[in-house]
């Protein structure tokens, strides 16, 4: 059996394979209320039919001001639970484990009204300048993540991922490029980590299941974070009960990035080895052979695909044929799934 299709267990939750659909915004909550719509039900269930082991639902905002766009999903209200529970049901009935990425866009939010960040610094000339968060703002946002986790539990998700990457709010606190605070939430690595630390502790009060954190392991800018610098913070995350680090990179500040197949895998290796923690890797992973190499060489423990699963919802089947592995098919498709 190829390692890609071996079952994998984290905190008493067993995934039937190591294929993960990375969270990708669908911009499809058209009433701008954060509610699940028909598109979400079809999109996510289709990847479950395609035999993806874990499907992580797109960045879901814990506060209205924390949406990347006004069409993002939300989890700031109990009213959101019913729709989220429906997509969980649709995915789980096809054998997929389900995750949700709890998020706050920070200074990269594009919704109307005030936007917030650790410091009053715009991402770029094309973005608005955010309001620097007060201590009260920070406490309210930490509480919003906790309440979002509670709602995710009610909806039946198997995994929660905290979005601490791609230049959104938690990432803005972690990086010295975007965090210029002079109080307990800025300056040293310990202080810049404090916001995420408080979120993890509060989430763990209501969530017993697998907890992932997505990080941007490299800022691609002088004075910014690197994978080696993140090792220290990841050790702290592990001590607090984080189970897996979803290792991405970039987007906290505008930067030139040399993109090539597997360009972020080296960051996963550094984090995995340096912090002795389970990792997932992302970034232009498109073939079964490529994914298998990453796993066999212990460069990561799970492989996250994004755009490739938009192009091919049945990528697991494609990869199985490539690796000459026979996998279970939906009974409705047995006549067409030939190995």
């Amino acid at each position: 059996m190829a390692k890609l299709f071996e079952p994998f267990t984290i905190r008493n939750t067993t995934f039937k394979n190591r294929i993960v659909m990375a969270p990708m915004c669908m911009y499809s909550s058209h009433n701008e209320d954060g509610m699940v719509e028909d598109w979400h039900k079809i999109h996510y269930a289709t990847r479950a039919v395609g035999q993806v082991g874990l499907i992580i639902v797109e960045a879901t905002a814990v506060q209205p001001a924390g949406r990347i766009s006004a069409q993002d999903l939300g989890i700031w209200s109990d009213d959101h639970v019913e729709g989220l529970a429906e997509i969980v049901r649709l995915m789980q009935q096809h054998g997929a484990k389900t995750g949700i990425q709890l998020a706050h866009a920070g200074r990269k939010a594009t919704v109307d009204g005030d936007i917030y960040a650790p410091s009053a610094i715009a991402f770029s000339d094309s973005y608005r300048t955010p309001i620097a968060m007060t201590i009260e703002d920070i406490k309210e946002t930490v509480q919003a993540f906790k309440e979002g986790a509670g709602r995710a539990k009610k909806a039946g998700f198997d995994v929660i991922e905290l979005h601490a990457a791609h230049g959104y709010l938690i990432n803005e606190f972690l990086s010295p490029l975007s965090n210029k605070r002079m109080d307990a939430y800025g300056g040293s690595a310990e202080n810049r980590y404090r916001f995420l630390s408080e979120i993890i502790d509060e989430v763990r009060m209501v969530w017993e299941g697998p907890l992932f954190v997505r990080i941007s392991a490299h800022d691609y800018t002088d004075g910014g974070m690197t994978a080696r610098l993140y090792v220290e913070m990841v050790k702290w995350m592990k001590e607090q009960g984080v189970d897996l680090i979803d290792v991405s990179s970039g987007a906290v500040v505008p930067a030139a990035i040399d993109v090539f197949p597997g360009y972020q895998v080296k960051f996963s290796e550094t984090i995995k080895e340096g912090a002795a923690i389970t990792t997932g890797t992302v970034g232009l992973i498109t073939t079964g052979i490529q994914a298998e190499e990453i796993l066999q060489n212990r460069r990561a423990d799970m492989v996250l695909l994004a755009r490739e699963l938009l192009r091919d919802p049945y990528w697991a089947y494609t990869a199985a044929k490539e690796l000459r592995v026979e996998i279970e098919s939906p009974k409705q498709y047995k006549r067409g799934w030939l190995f």
Side-chain angles (χ1 to χ4, degrees):
M1 171 68 75
K3 202 170 187 70
L4 184 63
F5 292 100
E6 288 180 356
F8 187 59
T9 300
I10 299 176
R11 200 178 283 262
N12 297 321
T13 296
T14 299
F15 309 94
K16 65 183 176 183
N17 58 47
R18 297 177 188 239
I19 303 168
V20 184
M21 187 172 88
M24 291 173 280
C25 290
M26 292 290 103
Y27 309 110
S28 295
S29 186
H30 299 299
N31 292 324
E32 302 188 3
D33 54 7
M35 295 294 183
V36 167
E37 297 194 13
D38 288 348
W39 172 261
H40 303 101
K41 298 173 187 178
I42 295 167
H43 169 68
Y44 290 112
T46 299
R47 275 72 193 170
V49 170
Q51 302 304 297
V52 173
L54 169 63
I55 300 169
I56 304 179
V57 171
E58 63 204 78
T60 305
V62 299
Q63 292 176 318
R67 290 172 290 173
I68 301 167
S69 81
Q71 290 76 43
D72 288 357
L73 286 181
I75 198 166
W76 64 80
S77 166
D78 290 344
D79 293 340
H80 293 119
V81 173
E82 182 179 357
L84 292 169
E86 175 65 4
I87 59 174
V88 167
R89 183 188 70 80
L90 291 169
M91 290 186 282
Q92 288 179 341
Q93 72 179 0
H94 297 292
K97 296 300 182 183
T98 63
I100 187 168
Q101 187 184 65
L102 303 184
H104 191 298
R107 69 180 184 175
K108 295 178 85 173
T110 62
V111 291
D112 293 336
D114 293 334
I115 59 174
Y116 297 88
S119 302
I121 306 168
F123 174 71
S124 70
D125 291 342
S126 60
Y127 281 76
R128 289 179 288 156
T129 300
I131 295 171
M133 296 173 73
T134 64
I135 297 300
E136 186 59 32
D137 292 333
I138 290 172
K139 292 184 182 301
E140 288 178 2
T141 304
V142 170
Q143 181 67 20
F145 273 95
K146 179 181 182 179
E147 292 174 0
R151 293 183 184 110
K153 183 177 179 178
K154 288 180 181 177
F157 284 99
D158 300 298
V159 172
I160 286 177
E161 176 169 278
L162 302 176
H163 199 352
H166 301 163
Y168 300 124
L169 185 62
I170 299 175
N171 190 190
E172 292 163 19
F173 272 91
L174 297 176
S175 176
L177 299 178
S178 48
N179 184 347
K180 303 297 183 182
R181 298 178 73 94
M182 303 297 289
D183 62 5
Y185 293 90
S188 67
E190 291 88 348
N191 283 358
R192 287 183 279 110
Y193 178 73
R194 192 179 308 278
F195 180 56
L196 175 55
S197 175
E198 292 177 356
I199 291 171
I200 293 169
D201 282 346
E202 290 299 312
V203 166
R204 271 291 176 217
M205 289 181 68
V206 299
W207 177 257
E208 305 82 19
L211 181 62
F212 297 3
V213 175
R214 171 166 271 198
I215 64 170
S216 279
H218 205 298
D219 290 343
Y220 301 100
T221 301
D222 290 343
M225 293 295 289
T226 66
R228 295 202 177 277
L229 290 174
Y230 260 112
V231 166
E232 179 181 38
M233 289 185 177
V234 170
K235 288 179 179 178
W236 298 335
M237 294 180 211
K238 183 179 179 181
E239 290 173 0
Q240 289 184 266
V242 170
D243 299 297
L244 178 143
I245 305 300
D246 174 359
V247 186
S248 188
S249 68
V252 75
V253 293
I257 302 175
D258 184 16
V259 175
F260 52 87
Y263 72 103
Q264 296 176 122
V265 176
K266 58 187 176 182
F267 303 138
S268 171
E269 285 184 277
T270 298
I271 297 295
K272 180 175 172 60
E273 294 173 5
I277 196 168
T278 300
T279 63
T281 191
V282 303
L284 292 184
I285 299 168
T286 59
T287 71
I289 289 174
Q290 183 186 10
E292 185 68 11
E293 180 276 322
I294 290 166
L295 296 170
Q296 289 287 355
N297 284 314
R298 300 182 180 180
R299 307 171 77 188
D301 301 283
M302 302 187 87
V303 176
L304 287 85
L305 295 98
R307 290 171 178 82
E308 193 63 23
L309 277 170
L310 297 184
R311 292 185 283 266
D312 182 3
Y314 307 102
W315 184 86
Y317 170 64
T318 303
K321 287 200 300 180
E322 187 180 1
L323 294 168
R324 299 181 181 180
V325 173
E326 186 168 347
I327 63 171
E328 188 68 24
S329 69
K331 64 180 181 181
Q332 296 90 340
Y333 288 0
K334 280 187 181 296
R335 75 193 77 176
W337 282 39
L338 305 175
F339 290 90

